[in-house]
Amino acid sequence: EANSGGIFLNNSTSGAINITTVDGQAGVTTVAGAISITNAATQNIKVAQVVTAGSGGVTLNAGNVLDIDAVVTATGSTMDLDGKSIDIDANVIAAGTTTLDASDGSIDIAASSRLTNSSGDITMNAAGAISLGDGANAAQATVTNSGTGNISITTTSAGNLTIDDDSILIGDGTLTINAAGNFTIATTNGATQQIDSDGDISITANGVGLTQTLDITGDAGGDRTLTVSNTSTSGERTAINVVTDQFSSVVYTQADANTSADIDFTGVDDIDIDGGDTSVTLESVVLTAADINFEFDLTEAQNVVVKTVTADTAGATSTISIESSGNVTINSGSITAGGAVLIEADE
C-alpha cells in the first residue's frame, strides 16, 4: 500500500502479518507520515517487501518473530523494532533513535545486511544471543552509527554476543557492550577489524575474544578510554588487538584470579596478565609509547602479583592504579608512572 499520510495497523486477534506485494503494490510506503504495524497476537511479522516512511518513524512490533527480508526505511526519523526474536536479512535505515528489543530470544543481522542510523542512538537488547554478521567492507559495517550518537548492545540470560569482520562502525559516540554470556569473534582474519570506533568503548562480558582476538581500530586520536570488565569465573580469557593509537586510558577489571588477558596496542605497548588459582600476575604492562593511563581491579578475594607495570616516558603524566580484594605483591620488577601511583589491597 502507498499512502500520502501515516499508516497504522494493529492486529489484536490472530494470524501472522506478511508485508508483501498486493495488486501490484509492493510493500508499504508513505509519502509523508509514520508507519506503525503491530501484531498483538502471538504471531509473526514478515517483511517480504519494502517498508518506507517518507517522513516519519517506523514501528514494527511482532508478538512473536519479526522477520525482515526487505529494506525498511524511516526517512529522517526513528526506528522501533520489537519481537520475541528479530531476524534481519536486509538493510534497516534510520535517522533518529533506533531501538531493537528481542524480549524472549535472539537478534540476528545477516552478513552484508545493515542497520544504519545517521542521527541519534542505536540500542539493541536481547534476552538471548545477538549475532552481527560480516560487513561488506570497512565503510559499510553491519551496525553503523554515522552521526554523533551512541551504540549500546546488551544480552541477558547468559546470551552470547558474536561479531564478525566490519560488524560495528561508530563515530565519536560511546560504544557500550554488555554480554551476559561470552563475547566471541566469528572470524579468524586477524588483518581486519571487527570494531571501528572513534569514541570511548566499554565492554562487559564473560570473556572477550576467547579463542579468537577482538580487533579494534579508529581515528588514532589517542584521547579515548577503553573499559573492559571480564565477568568470567571459569577462566575465559580477554584477547584484544588495538591497531591504532586510540586510547589514553585503559580500565581493566576481572572477577576471577584464574583469568588471563592479552591486550596489544601500537608500538611496544602491551598488557600481559596471567591468571592463577590463588593469584593473578601482571606479567608485563608496558604503556610507554602512547602514555596510556592504566587501572586494574581484581574483584575476587585473591591476590595480585606485580612484575612490571610501566606507563612513563619523559614528560609523561600517565597514572597507574592497582586494586585487589586480596593482597598486592610487588615482585622482582617495578611500577613506573609519570603521574600518580595508587595501590589498594583489602587484605
Side-chain angles (χ1 to χ4, degrees), residues 99-140:
T99 303
L100 282 70
D101 188 3
S103 61
D104 193 33
S106 62
I107 296 174
D108 181 82
I109 304 179
S112 298
S113 299
R114 301 187 69 202
L115 171 68
T116 64
N117 184 11
S118 59
S119 177
D121 297 341
I122 295 175
T123 302
M124 304 172 63
N125 296 307
I130 294 179
S131 178
L132 306 180
D134 191 357
N137 53 56
Q140 295 181 304

